Amino acid sequence: MELLSTLSLGFSVAMTPANLMYAFVGCFLGTLIGVLPGLGPVATIAMLMPATYVLPPVSALIMLAGIYYGAQYGGSTTAILVNLPGEASSVVTAMDGYQMARKGLAGPALSTAALGSFFAGTVGVLILAAFSTPLTKVAFKFGAAEYFSLMVLGLIAAVVLASGSLLKAIAMTVLGLLLGLVGTDINSGIPRYTLGIPELTDGIGFVTIAMGIFGYGEIVMNLGRTDMDREIFTGKMQGLWPTRKQVREVTPAVLRGTLLGAALGILPGGGAALAAVSAYALEKKIKMAPDEIPFGQGNIRGVASPEAANNAASQTSFVPLLTLGIPPNAVMALMLGAMIIHNIQPGPLVMTRNPQLFWGLVVSMWIGNLMLVILNLPLIRIWIKLLTVPYRFLFPAIVLFCAIGVFTINNNTFDIWMLGIFGFVGYLFGKLGCESAPLLLGFILGPMMEEYLRRALLLSLGDWSTFVTRPISAGLLAATVLLIVIMLLPAVKKKRAEAFTEE
Amino acid sequence: MHQFRKTVLMTLCMALVVAFGVAAPMNFVQAAGPAFPGKEIHMIVPWSPGGAVDMTARMIQKIAAADGIKIIVENVPGATGSIGLAKVASAPADGYTVGLATTSLLALIAQDMTKVRNEQFSYLNQVSIEQLLMLVPKGGPAQSLEEFIAYMKKNPGKVSIGTPGNNNLNHIFAAMAAKTAGVDFVNVPYPGASKAINDLSGKQIDGAVLKTSESRGQIEAGMVMAVGVFSETRNPALPNVPTFKEKGHDVFPYGLLEQICYLVGPADLPADVSAKLVSIFKKALAHPDYAKFAKDNGFTNSDVNSEALRKKIYSMQKGFNEAAPRLFKKK
């Protein structure tokens, strides 16, 4: 049982009192930072890294990993409570989570997210420990053509996501794709739609758009209403825990989300955002119980499944980092950097060269997840109480924190101006009844699709048949076609229409 | 209820404290004494946290701190380093703002893709030289430089070579490799080195031009192999990999071009301040910890500073200006 021996080695490293303390400090700091909209783990880890220079390498990495998880967890909290997704992977969480909060169900939404994430994280860590090496081979089968087909599937799923007018959803997705075009074209190195502004040559930041549209746009909408009509949360609040009925709905959703997330996380080009989107789309396709709340209006499955999926994906995204030495995202790149500063040569050989560090880190991921649950369940009561803070105090705080958060990403005031502009744009969308989630998804997936499409065509010397002659790519495209056909089937169409008239 | 209000307020206060702690690398200005430096030196890294340049900055920060010199690393990414370097150029010339520039800037200037100019800087210390490698997947059709060149000859215009970004030094060297075979090639630009090496390991591309630090781990693990070094000398971390020159291929028809990282300040630094900065960083760069860091990451450095560094940069700029219109497609 190699798995057991390696895991016990990991526990022996991670369970020392000092390392437990560092994990706790990391999770605690991370949670605090995560609930502040816009303040992300990258800025936090970069700022706190000098403080870890004096620590032993394992402790330093454990603490930094704790910050990462904490911040990610805190990001879902703001998505649910104030409709501010702090990162791409929590955009879909906000869709039903915020509606739940408005109906007084913030407690169950938050606890479901916490427990679902914990379960998914546990499964993710086990997969990571047991199957790292064979899974790498699967990831190698994915070339540009396969990634492109995967993105197409994801984008179609994103359109299916919309709960309002299909036409508006497609329009918003396309608008998102267009916004994603801003920046330097990877293939020619030519700046596109940058208006000669150097700050735009790297494109518009995701956080800037999300905070502007969701955060500032929402605030302006609220201030435009009279005091009476203003966003008032139902006074009656259900406690912390989900009811038995909710648990019954949530359990299979968490399982589905975990599996889907774990699978997508392994692909270095996939990641947590795609996992959350796909999980949500999958839940919408599953038959609803007769008395269930429709999606987009506070369905608890719409919170549980994507949360489980993004957490499972963020665990399994360690597979490429640890087996190939390839960081799947900015936080992981920073963790690699931290290893270098601590004189550890990162790369595929870390597992054999520094087994203590490797397995200690893997186990501390799980411990970090556990600590977050323990830490956050009591905190949920406090977060919920935040909703009772009068709006005149709450909104200036959100405005301030969003601005600080956006500034920390690039240390550049230009981004704060962009935040304001997108706030106005978000307000317009709100007035026009256009949903913003499809726009964000188009914005995330669009540039990735373009990158892979063009690379696939470069490699096939311009031959489009590469997408159907490569078996995995062909399979993914077939699944996309199937999805479209199902969507267009008269029976489903009717059901869709029914769902909307219920509103 | 009051209790809860209090808790909420407390939480908000705590959050505020954390926010400011994180957001603002606050510059509590101490009374500037007569001796330089009298306060923290801000080192602008024009790239995101976590990259090679950022790590180098943080290593220097760590070493200098032991000497009582406080350095604040400030990441100002964007526009291939232009935004951060523009910030250095426009900072007050008092020596408290310096920045790390790389060869990437010279490639941008050569194509007129930035407003930053070499004249806007004072030249302090060369910080690193990163050798670029010609890499191929392990177990692929070519396992040596000769075989790779033969493979390109046999498949004219079809062999794909990945580079992080394009129109940069990596791109120039990829073109030079193809030139040795006398054929065309497919340049596949990636948004970063990690995606390129991933595709190379999975044999999705035929070759890649990357820095030693970006590929050493995968070379050692046997996923990719280096067949040639684009440099005058072999890499100390990879002593068995020949240079292109040894195999009789000239990859420097435009003069010596190297991937270097160097420290700059705003133009017109007072001579005494500039000399003091050079000596501070010279000492940090000569520290054994820095030497070990360099060795572990497969880069080298030599003591090139002040006027010598300026001359080196200007001569490389000339090489880039000659190479750019010949090799990069303008669309």
Side-chain angles (χ1 to χ4, degrees):
Chain A
M1 278 314 280
E2 201 195 330
L3 176 63
L4 280 186
S5 68
T6 48
L7 280 184
S8 69
L9 171 66
F11 270 102
S12 70
V13 175
M15 292 294 274
T16 62
N19 284 345
L20 280 178
M21 191 192 77
Y22 287 122
F24 177 78
V25 171
C27 287
F28 184 70
L29 280 177
T31 307
L32 281 187
I33 282 147
V35 295
L36 298 175
L39 267 186
V42 176
T44 315
I45 294 179
M47 296 294 174
L48 293 180
M49 203 190 279
T52 69
Y53 288 165
V54 291
L55 302 180
V58 183
S59 308
L61 288 175
I62 286 177
M63 186 167 132
L64 294 176
I67 294 173
Y68 172 47
Y69 292 122
Q72 203 159 33
Y73 182 82
S76 318
T77 306
T78 49
I80 291 170
L81 290 181
V82 281
N83 200 19
L84 275 177
E87 53 199 311
S89 58
S90 46
V91 172
V92 284
T93 308
M95 292 166 66
D96 277 278
Y98 182 58
Q99 296 305 324
M100 283 185 73
R102 285 177 66 180
K103 290 180 175 164
L105 298 174
L110 289 169
S111 60
T112 308
L115 293 171
S117 295
F118 175 63
F119 173 78
T122 308
V123 174
V125 168
L126 281 176
I127 292 177
L128 178 62
F131 304 116
S132 282
T133 321
L135 284 177
T136 312
K137 300 214 167 64
V138 179
F140 276 155
K141 296 259 182 279
F142 270 69
E146 284 76 17
Y147 278 118
F148 173 74
S149 301
L150 185 69
M151 302 288 157
V152 173
L153 184 60
L155 198 68
I156 297 296
V159 175
V160 179
L161 279 184
S163 56
S165 143
L166 189 61
L167 186 67
K168 277 184 183 167
I170 293 174
M172 292 297 274
T173 311
V174 172
L175 189 60
L177 290 174
L178 290 176
L179 283 173
L181 285 181
V182 176
T184 306
D185 170 30
I186 299 170
N187 283 25
S188 64
I190 307 282
R192 295 188 298 205
Y193 306 109
T194 57
L195 316 172
I197 301 168
E199 277 82 357
L200 283 179
T201 48
D202 289 333
I204 305 166
F206 167 77
V207 175
T208 316
I209 290 195
M211 294 295 143
I213 290 181
F214 279 85
Y216 283 16
E218 178 90 16
I219 285 170
V220 182
M221 285 284 280
N222 273 335
L223 294 177
R225 298 187 182 112
T226 59
D227 255 352
M228 289 302 286
D229 300 335
R230 188 167 294 157
E231 195 75 54
I232 293 171
F233 291 91
T234 318
K236 191 169 63 96
M237 295 236 195
Q238 188 186 325
L240 177 59
W241 299 104
T243 60
R244 190 166 297 176
K245 179 174 164 293
Q246 284 166 334
V247 171
R248 248 198 330 271
E249 286 172 11
V250 153
T251 313
V254 167
L255 282 174
R256 286 189 290 264
T258 303
L259 287 180
L260 198 58
L264 289 174
I266 294 159
L267 305 171
L274 194 61
V277 173
S278 317
Y280 190 86
L282 178 69
E283 285 311 308
K284 281 192 86 170
K285 285 275 153 265
I286 306 271
K287 198 170 177 297
M288 290 222 269
D291 53 343
E292 220 179 312
I293 303 160
F295 280 92
Q297 296 175 28
N299 188 313
I300 194 161
R301 285 199 283 136
V303 177
S305 180
E307 275 298 298
N310 75 36
N311 208 37
S314 62
Q315 299 296 335
T316 52
S317 69
F318 273 91
V319 171
L321 174 70
L322 297 174
T323 54
L324 311 178
I326 294 165
N329 56 41
V331 179
M332 289 300 135
L334 204 50
M335 294 282 285
L336 270 187
M339 287 191 193
I340 295 176
I341 294 282
H342 284 283
N343 276 326
I344 297 159
Q345 179 70 44
L349 296 180
V350 143
M351 210 190 296
T352 41
R353 272 190 197 157
N354 306 73
Q356 295 225 327
L357 174 111
F358 180 86
W359 294 109
L361 189 60
V362 169
V363 169
S364 74
M365 287 175 201
W366 181 77
I367 292 177
N369 273 298
L370 180 65
M371 270 182 184
L372 277 172
V373 171
I374 298 170
L375 187 72
N376 275 286
L377 288 180
L379 281 180
I380 287 177
R381 290 181 194 284
I382 299 174
W383 302 143
I384 296 174
K385 284 294 158 192
L386 268 179
L387 297 177
T388 59
V389 174
Y391 201 67
R392 63 180 186 280
F393 296 134
L394 196 59
F395 93 80
I398 296 178
V399 170
L400 176 70
F401 284 130
C402 285
I404 294 175
V406 164
F407 179 76
T408 56
I409 298 169
N410 289 330
N411 285 327
N412 198 326
T413 47
F414 176 81
D415 292 337
I416 299 179
W417 290 104
M418 290 297 282
L419 181 66
I421 293 170
F422 278 103
F424 179 69
V425 171
Y427 172 69
L428 282 185
F429 288 159
K431 281 282 174 202
L432 296 172
C434 294
E435 275 189 69
S436 307
L439 176 131
L440 283 184
L441 298 169
F443 177 75
I444 298 163
L445 293 177
M448 288 162 92
M449 272 174 81
E450 189 207 350
E451 182 192 328
Y452 290 117
L453 171 69
R454 295 180 64 180
R455 190 175 302 139
L457 289 174
L458 265 179
L459 290 173
S460 72
L461 304 175
D463 183 1
W464 286 83
S465 69
T466 181
F467 296 106
V468 287
T469 51
R470 297 176 65 120
I472 299 177
S473 166
L476 289 166
L477 286 178
T480 312
V481 173
L482 199 69
L483 191 65
I484 296 174
V485 170
I486 293 174
M487 234 165 60
L488 296 177
L489 280 182
V492 183
K493 225 173 163 178
K494 213 174 108 211
K495 236 182 85 197
R496 221 185 121 89
E498 268 169 24
F500 294 138
T501 45
E502 276 167 24
E503 278 171 24
Chain B
M1 192 62 211
H2 273 285
Q3 195 53 44
F4 268 126
R5 278 270 160 86
K6 236 182 193 169
T7 327
V8 168
L9 276 177
M10 279 290 288
T11 317
L12 274 178
C13 286
M14 254 154 64
L16 205 69
V17 170
V18 174
F20 278 111
V22 172
M26 283 226 200
N27 188 7
F28 292 109
V29 182
Q30 298 160 1
F36 177 87
K39 57 178 184 182
E40 303 90 340
I41 298 171
H42 281 245
M43 186 189 278
I44 294 182
V45 171
W47 307 95
S48 303
V53 178
D54 182 55
M55 283 310 123
T56 308
R58 287 170 196 277
M59 198 68 207
I60 295 173
Q61 173 192 42
K62 190 181 167 186
I63 293 169
D67 241 358
I69 308 281
K70 283 207 182 105
I71 296 174
I72 294 174
V73 175
E74 201 178 319
N75 298 92
V76 187
T80 327
S82 291
I83 293 176
L85 290 171
K87 200 170 165 181
V88 177
S90 60
D94 56 7
Y96 290 109
T97 307
V98 295
L100 287 174
T102 68
T103 306
S104 312
L105 175 66
L106 309 182
L108 287 183
I109 292 174
Q111 298 164 85
D112 199 24
M113 283 170 67
T114 176
K115 291 189 178 111
V116 179
R117 290 290 171 262
N118 291 324
E119 294 75 33
Q120 289 175 298
F121 299 107
S122 299
Y123 292 83
L124 302 169
N125 305 63
Q126 176 176 289
V127 167
S128 71
I129 306 174
E130 288 248 36
Q131 288 173 320
L132 297 180
L133 304 172
M134 183 73 235
L135 298 156
V136 296
K138 187 99 176 183
Q143 298 291 285
S144 68
L145 190 54
E146 289 87 352
E147 283 175 24
F148 188 65
I149 289 171
Y151 183 68
M152 282 199 284
K153 277 185 183 155
K154 217 189 291 169
N155 301 285
K158 286 185 187 163
V159 174
S160 52
I161 301 179
T163 50
N166 69 352
N167 297 0
N168 51 22
L169 190 57
N170 303 60
H171 188 168
I172 291 180
F173 283 147
M176 286 300 129
K179 209 179 138 202
T180 56
V183 293
D184 219 356
F185 76 112
V186 182
N187 177 230
V188 188
Y190 285 83
S194 57
K195 279 191 174 172
I197 201 151
N198 189 32
D199 270 11
L200 187 69
S201 308
K203 301 198 181 82
Q204 306 287 346
I205 47 178
D206 301 314
V209 179
L210 296 170
K211 294 176 191 169
T212 316
S213 61
E214 292 162 342
S215 55
R216 200 177 152 211
Q218 286 77 12
I219 294 171
E220 286 180 4
M223 297 194 295
V224 301
M225 65 184 287
V227 293
V229 185
F230 295 99
S231 176
E232 302 275 285
T233 53
R234 292 192 178 200
N235 188 302
L238 303 162
N240 299 323
V241 182
T243 64
F244 273 72
K245 195 179 174 185
E246 285 172 43
K247 298 284 177 183
H249 307 298
D250 179 21
V251 289
F252 298 118
Y254 307 107
L256 180 66
L257 297 180
E258 287 179 315
Q259 183 68 38
I260 68 169
C261 177
Y262 54 101
L263 190 73
V264 294
D268 306 323
L269 279 184
D272 57 329
V273 169
S274 156
K276 179 77 193 191
L277 281 170
V278 167
S279 79
I280 287 173
F281 287 102
K282 192 171 170 173
K283 193 175 168 203
L285 295 170
H287 194 280
D289 281 1
Y290 191 79
K292 183 176 184 307
F293 171 70
K295 187 168 163 272
D296 285 349
N297 289 287
F299 71 82
T300 55
N301 192 29
S302 52
D303 180 23
V304 178
N305 60 53
S306 315
E307 184 55 21
L309 178 62
R310 193 189 68 81
K311 281 203 176 118
K312 180 170 178 175
I313 297 299
Y314 277 56
S315 118
M316 281 193 3
Q317 184 66 63
K318 223 177 115 219
F320 270 104
N321 292 349
E322 278 173 39
R326 290 178 177 81
L327 300 177
F328 304 149
K329 285 177 213 145
K330 268 272 181 200
K331 281 182 191 145

